[in-house]
Amino acid sequence: MRIVVAGAGSQLTAPLTASLTRSGHAVTTLTHAELDIRDLRAATAAVSGCDAIVNLAAANSVDVCEQEPI
């Protein structure tokens, strides 16, 4: 199975990717710098041909999120 992991760089990325790879899956990881999931065209292109998507992208700084809403 071809799996794309968006939001790579989180604490979950390494163990998840290792587990998926050990299970025989082809995993592509994309950091925020490589893929802004708010960009529909970029996201659509990034997941083209994959079988599954794992979204680890998250805004995790509550104070910043409150000060700089999207």
Side-chain angles (χ1 to χ4, degrees):
M1 184 179 285
R2 294 163 299 187
I3 301 171
V4 171
V5 177
S10 74
Q11 292 178 326
L12 296 175
T13 304
L16 175 64
T17 300
S19 178
L20 291 170
T21 301
R22 275 193 309 273
S23 297
H25 302 290
V27 181
T28 300
T29 58
L30 299 171
T31 65
H32 176 71
E34 296 167 321
L35 172 64
D36 181 347
I37 63 168
R38 299 172 298 173
D39 181 338
L40 180 59
R41 287 186 182 174
T44 300
V47 301
S48 177
C50 76
D51 299 304
I53 304 162
V54 178
N55 182 13
L56 299 180
N60 58 8
S61 176
V62 175
D63 293 335
V64 172
C65 290
E66 289 176 347
Q67 295 168 6
E68 300 174 20
I70 296 175

